[in-house]
Amino acid sequence: MTDQISRAWAYLSRVAEPPCPELRALTRRVGPVEAAERVRTGDVDDVIARRTEARRQIDCAANDLETLDRMGGRLINADDAEWPLLAFNSFCGVSGRPQAHEPMVLWVVGPAYLAGIAERAAAIVGTRAATAYGEFVAADLAAGLAARDAAVVSGGAFGIDGAAHRAALAADGVTVAVLAGGIDVPYPAAHAAMLRRVRGEGLVISEYPPGERPARHRFLTRNRLVAALAGATVVVEAGARSGAANTAAWAGALGRPVCAVPGPVTSSASVGCHALLRAGANVITRTEDLVELIGRAGELAPEEPRPASPLDELADAERHVYDALPARGSRTADEVAVAAGLPPMQVLGPLAVLELSGLVVRSEGRWKLARRT
Amino acid sequence: MTDQISRAWAYLSRVAEPPCPELRALTRRVGPVEAAERVRTGDVDDVIARRTEARRQIDCAANDLETLDRMGGRLINADDAEWPLLAFNSFCGVSGRPQAHEPMVLWVVGPAYLAGIAERAAAIVGTRAATAYGEFVAADLAAGLAARDAAVVSGGAFGIDGAAHRAALAADGVTVAVLAGGIDVPYPAAHAAMLRRVRGEGLVISEYPPGERPARHRFLTRNRLVAALAGATVVVEAGARSGAANTAAWAGALGRPVCAVPGPVTSSASVGCHALLRAGANVITRTEDLVELIGRAGELAPEEPRPASPLDELADAERHVYDALPARGSRTADEVAVAAGLPPMQVLGPLAVLELSGLVVRSEGRWKLARRT
């Protein structure tokens, strides 16, 4: 990419608040250099004029690219191989959501390869006001995804997001933080060190140019990218009003599985999760549940382990006869028949099977339960 | 009812392990006295002969009725007004479950009126190995049902069942314990005092005659009555193998709502509940959710309370402009326009609205956020 083209993309990234589908369409049609020139000179239609009016005189593209360069990052668009085309295809099917548009460019920093990540990733999101339970579960799921070569996408926030990023890093997994401000603006500031590690080993990405501060509406706009880059979105904890519910809504709108982790009904931090479950979200209790949703065909979650009982192998008749023996003491076959409500002839066979299985013991014509070892 | 008829019912109640649809059909056809006589003398078809062979010589009907009388109870059948006809109608639609049959008689002790109870009741069931969380939630739901004039049906067991019965009693509500043995056989023995209170204020019922001990298969058979007598069944806590899942399965088979309370995914006592939720059970987090399922038409659960924010009332444009103001310091209208990515003309209106709402303050041509009080 020549400097001129890069600078045009950087200029276009800042000049309209994303997503701006009209500007994106113009750029696809005439190319970034021509599009930037037209915006700068006001040679655009009314919609783009209005969307770019406030910022078209601002050109700090060279500075922005310098900042990006200093961080070792790259500015990618739909022409780049790294662009997650497949993942972003999901935006095509969304209607009724004004922000449901593919981004025009992404500012990306980190060694991971975005297009590859989006093929096997889950978003782990949730409330900033997480409980110890929520942070534990987020970390457990993230570590489990890392162990199964799946990336963990999240928003870099306090609480659930941070627990997920940190656990993925600790497990040498790949994690992606999608920011609601510039890639050089760590938010929250207290997560600066963590985000440095994320961009050192995974990816930090944003559709906002360097220096931009996150704002409330940008979090909501950003959430669509978190949902789009992940094969499924799981909300670990969310209060009655949580941004995580917005990410889950995006996942649903994009046709991706919406998932929630149940929690104590006595915990206000799980209210949002239970609302999602009530609305039909997938129940996630283990990493395997998530991998089943984002993984390759056939990666089914194994059955939950069930404690086994020696009675499992018994047929109904034998179990019925077994139940008719008293906890203490012994019974004759006739007494067993009465207790079981079966004809005497029908208890002898089952008693013999139970004796062979070592479950009952015969002694002097009477039967009793064998002591469990 | 004459003594002869009562004794015939009592005899029939014991002679075959319930449910025995063939014996029930015979009794409906020829009446209890004639049916009892035929069984006693062996004048019955092969099926009934086999089902009654072991016990037909046993006649302790007089004793059984004396026990019942001493406890102040009654033996009811489908001809009695107290028989929960409507509730038991649900057995008609069940296929593929050999035990899915209406009982022939019920041994009932307590001041409550069974047919009335079944019109507004929920079953609260769960593991005997309940956690403090589970017992708390069971008690909370039971107390809530009591406060809303709904009965609490359960199985009298340790753990969730006991917590539900006790809380209903404590709230002066009606609670019903369906036993898997005789009404005079408190099981578990440590619940004798509780069951005495249940039959003193609500109902203790069983389809097994006095003196009968519960056996494993009787618990499973009993569970169908718990499910049938309740408008909905909620499992509060259940391990991977819990009888509560069996009660829930009965509720489903009988066409009643199956419900489960979510819990921590780190708790093995909630594994069964999450399995039920995964299979489509209703999510129950509050009594209101249950009342909506068992209550009269229109008894909808109110919305969960949501914390309110002064920004809730704002239109999108105003919220967008509000977000463009910095947390500290002030901005000119033009600066706000750049930050918001809106034409300068489009920020003045929203700024005026925000000023009127007391959310932003103007001072010397600059705008800043009002301090939240």
Side-chain angles (χ1 to χ4, degrees), chain B residues 99 117 164 228 283 299:
Chain B
Q99 290 165 319
I117 282 168
V283 180
E299 267 190 284

Side-chain angles (χ1 to χ4, degrees), chain A:
Chain A
M1 212 189 290
T2 69
D3 281 4
Q4 192 193 19
I5 297 177
S6 299
R7 275 204 304 275
W9 280 119
Y11 171 82
L12 292 166
S13 162
R14 183 183 292 277
V15 75
E17 183 71 16
C20 182
E22 297 82 6
L23 182 58
R24 186 173 189 281
L26 173 69
T27 308
R28 300 297 300 166
R29 205 168 61 243
V30 304
V33 177
E34 170 77 17
E37 186 53 28
R38 291 203 196 171
V39 170
R40 207 174 275 122
T41 56
D43 178 20
V44 286
D45 66 31
D46 279 2
V47 176
I48 299 181
R50 213 167 336 112
R51 296 288 307 267
T52 57
E53 182 183 347
R55 301 185 191 148
R56 70 190 170 96
Q57 304 303 343
I58 303 169
D59 192 352
C60 45
N63 278 341
D64 291 344
L65 292 170
E66 208 178 290
T67 302
L68 181 70
D69 200 48
R70 225 176 16 241
M71 296 178 77
R74 52 210 182 265
L75 179 59
I76 64 172
N77 64 72
D79 292 332
D80 291 290
E82 192 180 354
W83 193 256
L85 263 190
L86 225 60
F88 286 169
N89 253 344
S90 54
F91 286 117
C92 300
V94 186
S95 65
R97 287 178 178 257
Q99 290 166 319
H101 290 280
E102 189 172 342
M104 186 168 61
V105 290
L106 287 175
W107 303 77
V108 179
V109 191
Y113 186 73
L114 186 57
I117 281 169
E119 284 174 19
R120 189 174 172 82
I124 298 181
V125 298
T127 180
R128 286 166 297 175
T131 68
Y133 165 72
E135 296 202 354
F136 172 83
V137 176
D140 194 53
L141 290 174
L145 288 172
R148 286 162 188 80
D149 290 324
V152 173
V153 183
S154 195
F158 283 132
I160 300 299
D161 290 19
H165 287 306
R166 283 199 183 88
L169 288 169
D172 290 327
V174 173
T175 186
V176 182
V178 186
L179 302 188
I183 40 159
D184 60 335
V185 181
Y187 184 89
H191 273 184
M194 183 192 81
L195 289 170
R196 209 157 35 234
R197 285 192 61 204
V198 171
R199 72 173 197 248
E201 301 174 35
L203 285 180
V204 166
I205 70 176
S206 174
E207 61 178 332
Y208 300 100
E212 283 301 300
R213 304 269 321 156
R216 190 185 325 257
H217 66 92
R218 286 181 174 167
F219 287 108
L220 300 178
T221 307
R222 177 273 314 263
N223 289 344
R224 83 189 197 291
L225 299 182
V226 172
L229 290 171
T233 293
V234 58
V235 180
V236 178
E237 276 191 325
R241 298 178 70 105
S242 170
N246 174 261
T247 311
W250 273 117
L254 296 170
R256 304 286 165 78
V258 177
C259 312
V261 174
V265 299
T266 46
S267 165
S268 62
S270 287
V271 167
C273 292
H274 297 149
L276 286 169
L277 291 176
R278 211 172 264 128
N282 295 277
V283 180
I284 300 294
T285 63
R286 313 171 290 165
T287 306
E288 288 83 348
D289 300 332
L290 260 181
V291 172
E292 182 170 313
L293 293 169
I294 64 164
R296 288 175 287 271
E299 265 189 287
L300 296 177
E303 286 283 319
E304 300 249 9
R306 283 167 58 100
S309 151
L311 303 181
D312 286 349
E313 310 296 316
L314 299 182
D316 281 354
E318 282 124 35
R319 204 177 299 194
H320 198 93
V321 168
Y322 182 90
D323 288 343
L325 284 161
R328 275 178 294 273
S330 61
R331 279 187 175 164
T332 65
D334 280 349
E335 286 166 352
V336 171
V338 168
L342 292 170
M345 291 304 296
Q346 280 183 29
V347 303
L348 294 175
L351 281 172
V353 172
L354 290 168
E355 189 183 18
L356 283 172
S357 317
L359 289 165
V360 310
V361 177
R362 175 164 42 174
S363 142
E364 299 170 15
R366 299 179 69 84
W367 300 82
K368 62 176 187 176
L369 296 181
R371 294 212 179 282
R372 301 267 190 109
T373 47

Side-chain angles (χ1 to χ4, degrees), chain B residues 15-357:
Chain B
V15 75
E17 183 71 16
C20 181
E22 297 82 6
L23 182 59
R24 187 174 189 280
L26 173 68
T27 308
R28 299 299 297 165
R29 205 168 63 242
V30 303
V33 177
E34 171 77 18
E37 186 53 28
R38 290 203 196 171
V39 170
R40 207 175 274 122
T41 57
D43 179 20
V44 286
D45 65 29
D46 280 1
V47 177
I48 299 181
R50 210 164 340 110
R51 296 289 306 267
T52 57
E53 182 182 349
R55 301 184 192 149
R56 70 190 170 96
Q57 303 303 343
I58 303 169
D59 191 352
C60 46
N63 278 341
D64 291 345
L65 292 170
E66 209 178 289
T67 302
L68 181 69
D69 201 46
R70 224 171 23 238
M71 296 178 79
R74 52 210 182 267
L75 180 59
I76 63 171
N77 63 72
D79 292 332
D80 291 291
E82 193 181 354
W83 192 257
L85 263 188
L86 225 61
F88 284 170
N89 253 343
S90 54
F91 286 117
C92 300
V94 186
S95 64
R97 285 177 180 258
Q99 290 165 319
H101 290 282
E102 189 170 345
M104 186 168 61
V105 290
L106 287 174
W107 304 76
V108 178
V109 191
Y113 186 73
L114 187 57
I117 282 168
E119 284 173 18
R120 190 173 171 83
I124 299 181
V125 298
T127 180
R128 286 166 297 175
T131 68
Y133 165 71
E135 296 203 354
F136 172 84
V137 175
D140 193 53
L141 291 174
L145 288 172
R148 286 162 188 81
D149 290 323
V152 174
V153 183
S154 195
F158 284 132
I160 299 300
D161 290 19
H165 287 306
R166 282 200 183 87
L169 289 169
D172 289 327
V174 173
T175 186
V176 181
V178 186
L179 302 188
I183 41 159
D184 59 335
V185 181
Y187 184 90
H191 274 184
M194 183 192 81
L195 289 169
R196 210 156 35 234
R197 286 192 61 203
V198 170
R199 73 172 195 248
E201 301 174 33
L203 285 180
V204 166
I205 70 176
S206 174
E207 61 178 331
Y208 301 99
E212 283 300 301
R213 305 265 327 153
R216 190 186 323 255
H217 66 93
R218 287 182 174 166
F219 287 108
L220 300 178
T221 308
R222 178 275 312 265
N223 290 344
R224 85 190 195 289
L225 300 182
V226 172
L229 290 171
T233 292
V234 58
V235 181
V236 177
E237 276 191 326
R241 296 178 72 104
S242 170
N246 174 260
T247 311
W250 273 118
L254 295 169
R256 305 286 165 76
V258 177
C259 312
V261 174
V265 299
T266 46
S267 165
S268 62
S270 287
V271 167
C273 291
H274 297 147
L276 286 170
L277 292 176
R278 213 171 263 129
N282 295 276
V283 180
I284 301 293
T285 62
R286 312 170 290 165
T287 306
E288 287 84 348
D289 300 332
L290 259 180
V291 171
E292 182 169 311
L293 292 169
I294 64 164
R296 289 175 287 272
E299 267 190 284
L300 296 177
E303 285 283 319
E304 300 250 10
R306 284 166 57 100
S309 151
L311 305 180
D312 286 349
E313 309 297 314
L314 299 181
D316 281 354
E318 282 124 33
R319 203 178 300 195
H320 198 94
V321 168
Y322 181 90
D323 288 342
L325 282 161
R328 277 179 293 274
S330 61
R331 279 186 175 164
T332 65
D334 281 349
E335 286 164 354
V336 172
V338 168
L342 292 172
M345 291 305 295
Q346 279 182 29
V347 303
L348 295 175
L351 281 171
V353 172
L354 289 167
E355 190 182 18
L356 282 172
S357 317

